[in-house]
PDB file of all heavy atoms in Angstrom:
ATOM      1  N   GLU A  80     -12.810  17.814   1.783  1.00 98.00           N
ATOM      2  CA  GLU A  80     -13.216  18.443   2.917  1.00 98.00           C
ATOM      3  C   GLU A  80     -12.973  17.507   4.088  1.00 98.00           C
ATOM      4  O   GLU A  80     -12.962  18.155   5.320  1.00 98.00           O
ATOM      5  CB  GLU A  80     -14.632  18.753   2.786  1.00 98.00           C
ATOM      6  CG  GLU A  80     -14.981  19.833   1.853  1.00 98.00           C
ATOM      7  CD  GLU A  80     -16.299  20.497   2.009  1.00 98.00           C
ATOM      8  OE1 GLU A  80     -17.118  19.829   2.697  1.00 98.00           O
ATOM      9  OE2 GLU A  80     -16.525  21.364   1.249  1.00 98.00           O
ATOM     10  N   ARG A  81     -12.887  16.160   3.999  1.00 98.00           N
ATOM     11  CA  ARG A  81     -12.631  15.336   5.191  1.00 98.00           C
ATOM     12  C   ARG A  81     -11.425  15.453   5.783  1.00 98.00           C
ATOM     13  O   ARG A  81     -11.427  15.043   6.999  1.00 98.00           O
ATOM     14  CB  ARG A  81     -12.854  13.802   4.696  1.00 98.00           C
ATOM     15  CG  ARG A  81     -14.361  13.494   4.216  1.00 98.00           C
ATOM     16  CD  ARG A  81     -14.390  12.147   3.547  1.00 98.00           C
ATOM     17  NE  ARG A  81     -13.486  12.012   2.385  1.00 98.00           N
ATOM     18  CZ  ARG A  81     -13.164  10.782   1.734  1.00 98.00           C
ATOM     19  NH1 ARG A  81     -13.901   9.729   2.141  1.00 98.00           N
ATOM     20  NH2 ARG A  81     -12.468  10.826   0.667  1.00 98.00           N
ATOM     21  N   ILE A  82     -10.511  16.121   5.244  1.00 98.00           N
ATOM     22  CA  ILE A  82      -9.188  16.368   5.868  1.00 98.00           C
ATOM     23  C   ILE A  82      -9.043  17.791   6.317  1.00 98.00           C
ATOM     24  O   ILE A  82      -8.050  18.314   6.669  1.00 98.00           O
ATOM     25  CB  ILE A  82      -7.947  15.866   5.147  1.00 98.00           C
ATOM     26  CG1 ILE A  82      -7.795  16.575   3.805  1.00 98.00           C
ATOM     27  CG2 ILE A  82      -7.990  14.365   4.938  1.00 98.00           C
ATOM     28  CD1 ILE A  82      -6.445  16.434   3.175  1.00 98.00           C
ATOM     29  N   GLY A  83     -10.259  18.550   6.302  1.00 98.00           N
ATOM     30  CA  GLY A  83     -10.289  19.914   6.834  1.00 98.00           C
ATOM     31  C   GLY A  83     -10.133  19.857   8.278  1.00 98.00           C
ATOM     32  O   GLY A  83     -10.338  18.924   9.017  1.00 98.00           O
ATOM     33  N   GLU A  84      -9.970  21.049   8.894  1.00 97.00           N
ATOM     34  CA  GLU A  84      -9.872  21.327  10.294  1.00 97.00           C
ATOM     35  C   GLU A  84     -11.018  20.873  10.930  1.00 97.00           C
ATOM     36  O   GLU A  84     -12.101  20.661  10.412  1.00 97.00           O
ATOM     37  CB  GLU A  84      -9.725  22.894  10.441  1.00 97.00           C
ATOM     38  CG  GLU A  84      -9.417  23.196  11.931  1.00 97.00           C
ATOM     39  CD  GLU A  84      -8.228  22.644  12.495  1.00 97.00           C
ATOM     40  OE1 GLU A  84      -8.295  21.448  12.855  1.00 97.00           O
ATOM     41  OE2 GLU A  84      -7.204  23.419  12.792  1.00 97.00           O
ATOM     42  N   CYS A  85     -10.829  20.515  12.301  1.00 97.00           N
ATOM     43  CA  CYS A  85     -11.926  20.250  13.120  1.00 97.00           C
ATOM     44  C   CYS A  85     -12.921  21.324  13.156  1.00 97.00           C
ATOM     45  O   CYS A  85     -12.505  22.550  13.053  1.00 97.00           O
ATOM     46  CB  CYS A  85     -11.499  19.992  14.576  1.00 97.00           C
ATOM     47  SG  CYS A  85     -12.726  19.337  15.694  1.00 97.00           S
ATOM     48  N   HIS A  86     -14.216  21.078  13.136  1.00 97.00           N
ATOM     49  CA  HIS A  86     -15.308  22.109  13.169  1.00 97.00           C
ATOM     50  C   HIS A  86     -15.466  22.576  14.679  1.00 97.00           C
ATOM     51  O   HIS A  86     -16.166  21.800  15.440  1.00 97.00           O
ATOM     52  CB  HIS A  86     -16.654  21.555  12.629  1.00 97.00           C
ATOM     53  CG  HIS A  86     -16.543  21.401  11.163  1.00 97.00           C
ATOM     54  ND1 HIS A  86     -16.864  22.399  10.290  1.00 97.00           N
ATOM     55  CD2 HIS A  86     -16.373  20.339  10.404  1.00 97.00           C
ATOM     56  CE1 HIS A  86     -16.737  22.028   9.076  1.00 97.00           C
ATOM     57  NE2 HIS A  86     -16.380  20.679   9.111  1.00 97.00           N
ATOM     58  N   TYR A  87     -14.784  23.571  15.105  1.00 97.00           N
ATOM     59  CA  TYR A  87     -14.723  24.082  16.416  1.00 97.00           C
ATOM     60  C   TYR A  87     -16.038  24.751  16.920  1.00 97.00           C
ATOM     61  O   TYR A  87     -16.123  25.211  18.041  1.00 97.00           O
ATOM     62  CB  TYR A  87     -13.608  24.930  16.717  1.00 97.00           C
ATOM     63  CG  TYR A  87     -12.199  24.169  16.575  1.00 97.00           C
ATOM     64  CD1 TYR A  87     -11.343  24.520  15.657  1.00 97.00           C
ATOM     65  CD2 TYR A  87     -11.870  22.984  17.462  1.00 97.00           C
ATOM     66  CE1 TYR A  87     -10.100  23.817  15.513  1.00 97.00           C
ATOM     67  CE2 TYR A  87     -10.701  22.361  17.331  1.00 97.00           C
ATOM     68  CZ  TYR A  87      -9.761  22.813  16.280  1.00 97.00           C
ATOM     69  OH  TYR A  87      -8.594  22.143  16.282  1.00 97.00           O
ATOM     70  N   GLY A  88     -17.042  25.058  15.875  1.00 96.00           N
ATOM     71  CA  GLY A  88     -18.305  25.614  16.241  1.00 96.00           C
ATOM     72  C   GLY A  88     -18.097  27.000  16.808  1.00 96.00           C
ATOM     73  O   GLY A  88     -17.409  27.844  16.275  1.00 96.00           O
ATOM     74  N   ASP A  89     -18.757  27.237  17.937  1.00 96.00           N
ATOM     75  CA  ASP A  89     -18.789  28.470  18.630  1.00 96.00           C
ATOM     76  C   ASP A  89     -17.376  28.887  19.216  1.00 96.00           C
ATOM     77  O   ASP A  89     -17.152  30.097  19.487  1.00 96.00           O
ATOM     78  CB  ASP A  89     -19.732  28.453  19.863  1.00 96.00           C
ATOM     79  CG  ASP A  89     -21.216  28.156  19.401  1.00 96.00           C
ATOM     80  OD1 ASP A  89     -21.502  28.266  18.125  1.00 96.00           O
ATOM     81  OD2 ASP A  89     -22.099  27.805  20.269  1.00 96.00           O
ATOM     82  N   TRP A  90     -16.426  27.967  19.152  1.00 96.00           N
ATOM     83  CA  TRP A  90     -15.066  28.372  19.660  1.00 96.00           C
ATOM     84  C   TRP A  90     -14.296  28.977  18.529  1.00 96.00           C
ATOM     85  O   TRP A  90     -13.252  29.617  18.785  1.00 96.00           O
ATOM     86  CB  TRP A  90     -14.363  27.097  20.215  1.00 96.00           C
ATOM     87  CG  TRP A  90     -14.800  26.751  21.579  1.00 96.00           C
ATOM     88  CD1 TRP A  90     -15.811  27.037  22.261  1.00 96.00           C
ATOM     89  CD2 TRP A  90     -13.914  25.848  22.408  1.00 96.00           C
ATOM     90  NE1 TRP A  90     -15.907  26.435  23.508  1.00 96.00           N
ATOM     91  CE2 TRP A  90     -14.705  25.774  23.594  1.00 96.00           C
ATOM     92  CE3 TRP A  90     -12.686  25.369  22.370  1.00 96.00           C
ATOM     93  CZ2 TRP A  90     -14.209  25.190  24.787  1.00 96.00           C
ATOM     94  CZ3 TRP A  90     -12.189  24.663  23.570  1.00 96.00           C
ATOM     95  CH2 TRP A  90     -12.916  24.603  24.665  1.00 96.00           C
ATOM     96  N   SER A  91     -14.691  28.764  17.216  1.00 95.00           N
ATOM     97  CA  SER A  91     -13.963  29.308  16.206  1.00 95.00           C
ATOM     98  C   SER A  91     -13.827  30.830  16.275  1.00 95.00           C
ATOM     99  O   SER A  91     -14.811  31.564  16.588  1.00 95.00           O
ATOM    100  CB  SER A  91     -14.601  28.880  14.854  1.00 95.00           C
ATOM    101  OG  SER A  91     -14.728  27.492  14.700  1.00 95.00           O
TER     102      SER A  91
END
Side-chain angles (χ1 to χ4, degrees):
E80 291 195 358
R81 295 174 297 176
I82 62 167
E84 181 62 285
C85 186
H86 290 275
Y87 296 118
D89 298 344
W90 281 25
S91 299

